[in-house]
Every structure is written in structure tokens, then in C-alpha cells.
Amino acid sequence: MPREPGVLAVFADPSAAARAVRAAHAAGQRDVRAAMPAPFPEMMEAMAQPRSLIGAVTLCGAVLGMCLGLWLTIGTSVALPISVGGKPIVSLPAFLVIVFEVTVLVGGLSNFLGMLIGAYIGRRKRFMPADPRFLRDRIGVFLPGTSESARELLRAAGAEEVRDVA
Amino acid sequence: MSVPVAVAERMRSIDKSAEDTQQAPGLGWGALVALAVACIAIGAYSWSLIIRFGMQYTGLNRPVGWGVLITDFVFWVGIAHSGTLISAILFLFRARFRTAVYRAAEAMTVFGVMTAGLFPIIHLGRPWYAFWILPYPNQRHLQINFRSPLVWDAFAISTYFCVSAMFLLAGLMPDAAALRDGSQGLRRRFYALFAMGWRGTAEEWRHHGRAYLFFAAFATPLVISVHSVVSWDFAVSIVPGWHSTLFPPYFVAGAILSGVSMVITLLIPIRRAMKLEGLITMQHLDMLSRLVLLTSLIVTYSYSTEFLLALRGGASPERDTLLYRATGAFWPLFWLMVLGNCIGPLFLFLKRVRGSLLGLFAVCALVNVGMWLERFNIVVSSLEHNRIPFDWGAYHPRLAEIGITVGSFGWFFFWFLLFLKLLPSVSIAELKEEAAHDHHQEAAHAA
């Protein structure tokens, strides 16, 4: 992950951090990055991030799972036809239970992998200075690029600490 | 104290409470782990008797081909259900009281499924053939029977285990990262493994939030499907006392009743031993006990419906079997079940009982016993008292089966005790989110 110069502000209150993010957006700074110990609703709203694509990934996984379930049950029953108790070789109502389980399994797996990959790509593409406090009791807001107005803006929002990151 | 400082202070105190649970274990914890290992040893020895000498070491016979081992299987699947209910269904309903208790319940789910999954394999008698239930190409050109509820079970339980484990891991990531940065050495590497590179960026939270929502959306129908499938193991057959369309909802309600009761039974000693009274409050336990009361009423309604429908059906094997269940060889177990599942929880209508740790523990422990007996009654009495007197028989559990049951409790508690000491038993991130929210509400009220 390439380091980027910028201004990092540390906040103790999520509302103050959210104010800083909104002020940065209002000042024309679209690229605002943040780290926090919990997904505080006011911060997540202020960040105005695009909706995660995980829904699409999970849906694709679920559809793939459904197809796999149908292939497994219908495909193998047709390939190895054994009549059991006079029931049809393709007993769709009974097979649907398996199809449902495989749908959920593959959908769940793609959801989990999608989250891990999305988080990994986010970390790789967008530099955010690491600080253990951001996992414990503080919120970090990082504005790439250095300008005095950015520093002022963060201080005015109530930052405890504002520093340059080289 | 200003709002920002108070919020940070509260977040620090949550971190500290969680870190305190991870301190070096004391003698009490060691003694409990030793007891759990001893129980596992008893279970392993008992299982070895079956492996070495055959199913004669169980009380199974003709016509009672299912006994304590299948009872244990259904019991542990039921125990596993509360975690998903508390973490997924209550999450979708935005029930805030779940925050402090759902992590322990989720862990219970995973360990409950790990325990339940052993029983069909043990019950086989020849566990080395367990892989025959999996669909795989083979030289015999045989394929498993996808119409069989036993195959549905294998798929449902495996899926449930995988989804529950992923759900637990997804929730653990931010908390493990918080603990990772405050620890050193081997413990740090252990937390780093569960944190999976988590750094708490808004980008990560964006994906995490959506993924968590989808997990909850998947887990909700899954949890209903899993115990419905377990109930179909019985209901799809034509055995009187089993063949009923009532079984799926009845089993799901019973599973939630037993699971939530087990959560309370475990949380009461945990919050005291780990000094989590500040995070897992009496209000959390009160809300959970209301859930026990609600599901107990549903279960009581199901019992009544089952009996009334059978009694109104005239002279039928169904009616005879249900009367046998209440008055036959195992009648004390039946009435103990009614006491535990229907009468005991009624005391939870009293605020005094819900507010008393001892009272709550006693009611929930009784429910746990009652729910095990419910499964035993369903499994055994129906097989003992089949359609024609020629086919009637008797079943007496033998020591090997009881030993395996004891072993299953040891196995479950062994993993649970390890979890309590190695990973955070409360959701640190969600508690922090709530703490910030509560402080702002209080500040707004004060203003």
C-alpha cells in the first residue's frame, strides 16, 4: 500500500468526527478516509460511501449454489437412476431441501469471501495511517494532501490532535 | 465530564472489561476444563466399546432402533439454535438487548452443532462408513438418496455449521483486532489470525456492515430449515407419534426454548466469574427470560394441539401412542418434561423470578432437562409402542449411551471454556457503538 501525504485528525467523539467529514466534503474534499473502533452511524452516514458490492457478489454466489444444488440432485439422479419406493427419479419437492441448503452454503461463502476481499482491496487501494487508538477509543479522519485550510477545518470540528503525515 | 471524553472513557472501560476476561485463567477455570476433559474421556471410552464390540453395548433393539444417541443429536441441534436466533433474527428486528449476549450465544451455536454432528456418526456403529452419506463418484455406481430426510439432515447440519462459523468469525474480526493491538507474543499472533488484517477503516466497515446483514438474512431461514429438517427425520416416517405436520414449527419453537434457556444457564455464571455484570446486565437477562416464556407458551400450545388432535381422532394408533407416552413405562419422564417446559417457565411471568439470578437459573436449568426429556419421549415412546402389539418393545438405555451423553456435555463445555478465555465473549465493537449512542442521548436529554 503506497503511503500518501496528508493530514490526520484524531477525535474522541463520533459526532465531532462526522462534523469534520461533512465540513471536508462541503469544502470540496471528496476523498476523505476514516478509521474507527465501531461503525458509528453518524460517521458512516457522513462518509457517504457508495453501497458495497457485496450484495451482488452474494446474489451471484446464491444463484451459483442453487444451480449446483439442482445439478447435484437432478444431474446425479438422472445419471445413476435407481428407483426408490416407486418415487420419480427426479423428485423435485424432496430435492428442493438440498437445493436450498446448497444455495445458502455457497451464498454464505461468497458473502464471507466478498467481505474479506472487499476489505483487503480497500486497505490496498486507499492508504489510511495506522494507529491502535482507532481500534479502541478514538476516531481517525485522514485528508490526503496537505493544506492549512484542511488543518483548520479539522481543528474547528473539535479534533483532539491534528498532525501531518509525510 | 464533556461528551467526547465521556464517550472515549466508556469505550476504554468496554475494552478493559473484555481484556480482563482474557487474563490468565484461575484454578476454577482449570478445574472446569479438567472436569470437561474427564467427561470427554468417559464418552470416548464408551464410544470405543461400541466400535470394538458393536451396538450390543447400547440398549437399541427391535423395534427401538433409535434411542439416547438420537435424542442427544436432536437436543444439541436445538441448543445450537439460540445463537442464530439471538444474533441474526434479533439483529434483523433491531433488538438492542442482543448486543451484550449474542457473542456467547453464537459460540454456543457453533459448539452445539459440533457436538450434534458427532451423534449420527456415533449412532452408525461403524463410523468409518460415515462418508457414504456424502455424494461422490464411486465404482459401485451408487448415489445417495436425495429423497431421504437423513441426507437432508447431513446437508442442513453441514451448511448450518459453516454459516454459523462464518457469522461468528465475521463478528469477531473487529474485536480480535482491538485485542491484537493490546497484546504481545503468541497471543497477539492468535488474535491477528482472527482479525484477518482488520484495521477499522470506514471502507472495511462498509463491507462488514452489508455482509453482516446478508449473513443475518441467510441465517434466519436457515435456522428454521435446519430444525424443520431434523423434525422431518421423524415426521416423514409413518410411525405414530412422529407422523405429524405439526412437527416443524413445534421443533423450531422447542429448539429456541432450549437454546435460549441454555444461554441463560451459561450467562449467569459467566457474568459473575468474568466480572461482566456491567456489560451483561439484569435487563439483558430479563429480555432473554421473556423469550423463554414466549417459546415455552408456544411449546405448551404444540403439546396440547398434538394431544387434542390425537384424542379427537377416535381409536387410532396415534392416540394410543400418545397415551402411552403419558402413562407408559416412561411416564415420570413425560410429566417431568411437562413440568420443565410448560409449568416451570410460567414462573417467569413474575418479575421477582425474572429479577432473581437463582430463580432464573433454576427455571432455565429445568427447561434444559425438560427439553432433553421431550426428545427422549418423542424418539423412544413412539418406537416402543408402534402400530400393532406384535411390534411393541421396550428400551433401556445402557451405560455406554449414558457415557457418550456425559462425554458430549464435556466436549461442548471444553470448547466453550476455551472460547471464554481465548476470545472476547462480548461484542466489543457493537457495545462501543451503543455506548456512543447512549451518551449522546443522555447529553441531548440533559440539554
Side-chain angles (χ1 to χ4, degrees):
Chain A
M1 168 178 39
R3 281 179 72 89
E4 282 178 65
V7 185
L8 176 71
V10 180
F11 293 86
D13 181 19
S15 301
R19 266 201 308 277
V21 173
R22 276 194 220 98
H25 282 162
Q29 174 102 27
R30 299 312 305 168
D31 187 7
V32 181
R33 302 168 197 181
M36 55 206 135
F40 302 111
E42 57 270 57
M43 265 303 280
M44 296 307 286
E45 198 185 319
M47 289 296 290
Q49 300 179 99
R51 182 172 276 197
S52 167
L53 287 176
I54 287 219
V57 174
T58 307
L59 179 67
C60 291
V63 172
L64 176 70
M66 191 176 74
C67 296
L68 274 174
L70 286 168
W71 171 77
L72 181 68
T73 50
I74 298 175
T76 55
S77 298
V78 170
L80 304 158
I82 299 173
S83 177
V84 179
K87 291 167 195 151
I89 296 296
V90 177
S91 308
L92 213 51
F95 290 178
L96 283 182
V97 177
I98 306 279
V99 174
F100 171 78
E101 301 299 340
V102 182
T103 303
V104 171
L105 179 64
V106 182
L109 277 169
S110 27
N111 187 37
F112 190 66
L113 290 176
M115 176 187 72
L116 291 182
I117 293 168
Y120 176 77
I121 292 173
R123 280 196 300 268
R124 296 283 302 173
K125 279 177 71 176
R126 305 184 81 207
F127 169 74
M128 172 74 203
D131 189 325
R133 289 179 296 174
F134 301 155
L135 291 168
R136 300 176 82 80
D137 56 359
R138 292 291 189 275
I139 297 110
V141 175
F142 178 67
L143 304 180
T146 46
S147 74
E148 191 50 44
S149 63
R151 284 184 209 100
E152 276 311 309
L153 179 151
L154 292 166
R155 271 193 210 102
E160 282 184 338
E161 181 187 321
V162 178
R163 63 183 157 92
D164 288 338
V165 176
Chain B
M1 199 184 289
S2 70
V3 169
V5 178
V7 172
E9 197 66 40
R10 180 81 183 113
M11 288 199 265
R12 256 199 306 279
S13 87
I14 291 168
D15 274 332
K16 183 162 182 337
S17 299
E19 278 165 1
D20 286 348
T21 64
Q22 310 292 297
Q23 295 302 317
L27 261 182
W29 184 86
L32 285 173
V33 171
L35 183 65
V37 171
C39 290
I40 294 173
I42 292 171
Y45 176 71
S46 304
W47 187 12
S48 81
L49 288 176
I50 295 177
I51 292 173
R52 285 181 293 155
F53 304 112
M55 295 302 272
Q56 60 188 339
Y57 267 81
T58 67
L60 299 177
N61 56 52
R62 235 204 62 74
V64 187
W66 285 4
V68 164
L69 298 177
I70 297 297
T71 302
D72 287 336
F73 165 69
V74 183
F75 175 76
W76 284 113
V77 176
I79 291 295
H81 272 49
S82 66
T84 314
L85 172 96
I86 292 171
S87 53
I89 301 178
L90 295 183
F91 175 78
L92 293 178
F93 281 111
R94 302 283 183 257
R96 289 185 65 202
F97 75 89
R98 67 179 269 288
T99 312
V101 295
Y102 84 85
R103 176 65 51 71
E106 267 179 11
M108 219 181 78
T109 292
V110 174
F111 305 141
V113 182
M114 276 165 56
T115 313
L118 293 174
F119 280 98
I121 298 171
I122 297 172
H123 181 78
L124 284 177
R126 291 182 290 176
W128 49 94
Y129 290 131
F131 67 96
W132 282 9
I133 200 127
L134 302 174
Y136 66 98
N138 58 68
Q139 292 163 322
R140 291 163 290 141
H141 287 264
L142 287 173
Q143 185 57 297
I144 55 174
N145 180 10
F146 290 115
R147 298 169 204 86
S148 161
L150 302 180
V151 173
W152 299 347
D153 235 352
F155 276 82
I157 300 289
S158 325
T159 301
Y160 191 43
F161 174 72
C162 293
V163 172
S164 309
M166 287 187 289
F167 203 14
L168 177 68
L169 288 174
L172 268 172
M173 282 166 64
D175 297 348
L179 293 174
R180 171 195 64 197
D181 290 348
S183 52
Q184 289 166 339
L186 198 61
R187 195 170 264 268
R188 185 183 169 86
R189 284 162 67 181
F190 177 74
Y191 288 134
L193 192 70
F194 282 90
M196 298 184 214
W198 185 269
R199 291 177 54 210
T201 62
E203 185 86 0
E204 287 170 323
W205 282 118
R206 177 169 72 106
H207 297 303
H208 187 270
R210 294 296 289 173
Y212 204 79
L213 180 70
F214 291 128
F215 266 129
F218 270 134
T220 302
L222 180 64
V223 74
I224 293 166
S225 85
V226 171
H227 225 57
S228 298
V229 166
V230 171
S231 81
W232 287 331
D233 287 345
F234 303 95
V236 166
S237 74
I238 53 165
V239 175
W242 287 3
H243 188 60
S244 165
T245 50
L246 180 70
F247 263 37
Y250 163 26
F251 266 53
V252 172
I256 295 169
L257 172 63
S258 66
V260 179
S261 299
M262 184 62 107
V263 169
I264 297 177
T265 314
L266 294 179
L267 280 181
I268 289 175
I270 288 171
R271 68 193 282 275
R272 191 183 168 125
M274 304 192 112
K275 297 184 178 61
L276 289 172
E277 285 97 337
L279 298 180
I280 303 170
T281 62
M282 283 310 290
Q283 208 231 330
H284 293 120
L285 295 178
D286 182 73
M287 297 306 281
L288 288 176
S289 61
R290 287 168 196 230
L291 212 51
V292 170
L293 180 57
L294 172 72
T295 45
S296 154
L297 293 175
I298 298 173
V299 166
T300 307
Y301 175 75
S302 305
Y303 290 167
S304 315
T305 309
E306 195 184 17
F307 263 85
L308 290 174
L309 285 178
L311 290 177
R312 280 186 58 83
S316 67
E318 192 77 25
R319 175 172 163 269
D320 289 348
T321 301
L322 287 169
L323 286 177
Y324 175 75
R325 202 177 279 176
T327 59
F330 290 113
W331 70 266
L333 302 188
F334 175 84
W335 292 105
L336 191 55
M337 171 197 90
V338 172
L339 179 73
N341 298 345
C342 308
I343 299 169
L346 292 179
F347 285 98
L348 296 176
F349 271 117
L350 303 172
K351 198 164 188 236
R352 208 171 43 177
V353 177
R354 292 203 308 274
S356 148
L357 288 178
L358 194 65
L360 198 51
F361 186 84
V363 169
C364 292
L366 195 61
V367 170
N368 289 326
V369 174
M371 286 310 298
W372 191 90
L373 293 175
E374 181 206 281
R375 279 65 182 258
F376 183 82
N377 282 319
I378 291 172
V379 171
V380 174
S381 68
S382 302
L383 291 173
E384 275 191 342
H385 208 80
N386 215 321
R387 284 178 187 277
I388 43 175
F390 166 78
D391 208 23
W392 290 352
Y395 168 74
H396 302 287
R398 294 192 61 185
L399 273 177
E401 290 164 292
I402 294 165
I404 291 171
T405 305
V406 169
S408 73
F409 278 87
W411 170 259
F412 174 83
F413 280 105
F414 173 75
W415 290 109
F416 197 75
L417 287 164
L418 281 191
F419 163 79
L420 289 179
K421 269 294 155 200
L422 294 175
L423 290 164
S425 47
V426 288
S427 169
I428 303 172
E430 284 199 37
L431 283 170
K432 285 178 182 172
E433 190 185 338
E434 274 203 4
H437 176 265
D438 289 346
H439 268 285
H440 283 287
Q441 292 272 330
E442 284 161 23
H445 274 296

